[in-house]
Amino acid sequence: MSTPAVAMTIAGSDSGGGAGIQADLRTFAALGVFGTSAVTALTAQNTTEVRAVHPVPAEMVVAQIDAVLDDLDVRAVKTGMLAGAEIVDAVAALAAAGRLPNLVVDPVMVASSGARLLDPAAERRYLVGLFPHARVVTPNLWEAQMLLGREITTHAGQREAATALLTNGPEVVVVKGGHPVRGERGDLGEAVDVVATADGTIELRRPRIPTVNNHGSGCSFASAIAAHLALGHDVIEAIERAKDFVHRAVAGGARWVLGAGHGPLDHFGWELEEQE
């Protein structure tokens, strides 16, 4: 048996199991990658609300990361909820030192329930501290609005936002289209992600799936990109494969009844396997 590729997630714990560390590790496992983790915050949440957030001290976050990196051959790292300015700064320092290979930054600021997960003081630090060291950053429309300080209401605005965020230094920016915007070609029926690189923009389109079970889709997308980078795929192929993975996972869990709010995804294709 060959040794599996290793990836790391640096993110918060979701007690409801739908997002955060729990979704990241399921994604790694589903894609055949050994997952390691550094927990940044404990959250008390379910499918309907975030009731409490308890950040982990920054030095403990760094201790977890150091322990993993000192022993395991980590090929890619994904960041999710970093909970506060001190943790953003600590992770950025590790990135600047070249210790976080194939870094994928998901700038988690707002939960799918609408709850704010990052204090405003930390938002600027993403742009100046983490983005310059990332291969890929994956804001959704809400997060892109917060990072740029302007509203995005059209598909053209989504493309402009991806290009604008690219100037902060990452190799690739993906502004996710999970939340619909008004587009030139009836995009309300499609989930359109805009991918910006130094060569221009491309679009990744899939039919929008009518379901409330989308909790953790952003975490899963960024984790899937990291997993494919750990497996050795080039960055655009990793993003395209991640888009396919999340589309399939949302489709698989679309009919699940897990909680009264935004339910989770079917990362392992359990539902689709039964249908086939």
Side-chain angles (χ1 to χ4, degrees):
M1 178 180 292
S2 60
T3 301
V6 179
M8 175 190 285
T9 170
I10 304 170
S13 169
D14 174 353
S15 57
I21 289 281
Q22 289 82 353
D24 296 342
L25 293 178
R26 282 200 301 276
T27 298
F28 290 159
L31 296 174
V33 171
F34 185 81
T36 62
S37 62
V39 178
T40 60
L42 305 177
T43 71
Q45 63 175 297
N46 54 33
T47 65
T48 65
E49 61 180 338
V50 179
R51 296 183 180 178
V53 176
H54 181 73
V56 172
E59 57 269 26
M60 184 57 193
V61 174
V62 173
Q64 294 174 76
I65 297 169
D66 282 341
V68 172
L69 294 178
D70 289 348
D71 186 46
L72 298 170
D73 181 17
V74 174
R75 302 291 179 86
V77 177
K78 173 256 179 177
T79 71
M81 175 188 179
L82 297 183
E86 289 188 0
I87 297 176
V88 175
D89 288 345
V91 174
L94 291 168
R99 301 203 67 203
L100 305 180
N102 287 317
L103 180 61
V104 180
V105 174
D106 183 18
V108 176
M109 298 176 181
V110 182
S112 55
S113 62
R116 197 177 190 110
L117 297 175
L118 188 71
D119 59 80
E123 293 168 8
R124 174 79 183 156
R125 286 173 156 87
Y126 264 97
L127 293 172
V128 300
L130 268 177
F131 278 26
H133 308 292
R135 290 206 72 187
V136 185
V137 298
T138 62
N140 60 31
L141 288 172
W142 293 341
E143 291 154 353
Q145 289 179 154
M146 295 168 73
L147 289 165
L148 292 169
R150 64 173 186 250
E151 193 175 7
I152 302 170
T153 59
T154 66
H155 189 54
Q158 185 183 359
R159 290 195 299 269
E160 291 169 2
T163 301
L165 289 171
L166 196 66
T167 64
N168 290 283
E171 181 179 341
V172 182
V173 174
V174 185
V175 176
K176 296 172 292 191
H179 307 288
V181 296
R182 295 188 297 273
E184 297 90 339
R185 288 176 286 177
D187 293 334
L188 290 176
E190 294 183 306
V192 183
D193 295 343
V194 173
V195 181
T197 71
D199 296 325
T201 61
I202 60 174
E203 297 175 357
L204 302 180
R205 294 171 174 267
R206 296 292 183 278
R208 191 175 300 281
I209 298 169
T211 178
V212 297
N213 293 336
N214 55 10
H215 184 45
S217 55
C219 303
S220 302
F221 179 65
S223 296
I225 295 171
H228 284 295
L229 291 173
L231 290 168
H233 296 124
D234 70 47
V235 66
I236 296 301
E237 182 180 2
I239 292 167
E240 291 173 340
R241 285 174 177 259
K243 176 78 170 177
D244 286 338
F245 171 77
V246 171
H247 179 77
R248 184 177 174 84
V250 173
R255 297 186 300 174
W256 284 359
V257 181
L258 287 172
H262 291 276
L265 316 186
D266 179 4
H267 293 89
F268 294 103
W270 296 323
E271 182 70 21
L272 293 177
E273 287 180 0
E274 288 186 3
Q275 294 174 16
E276 294 167 358

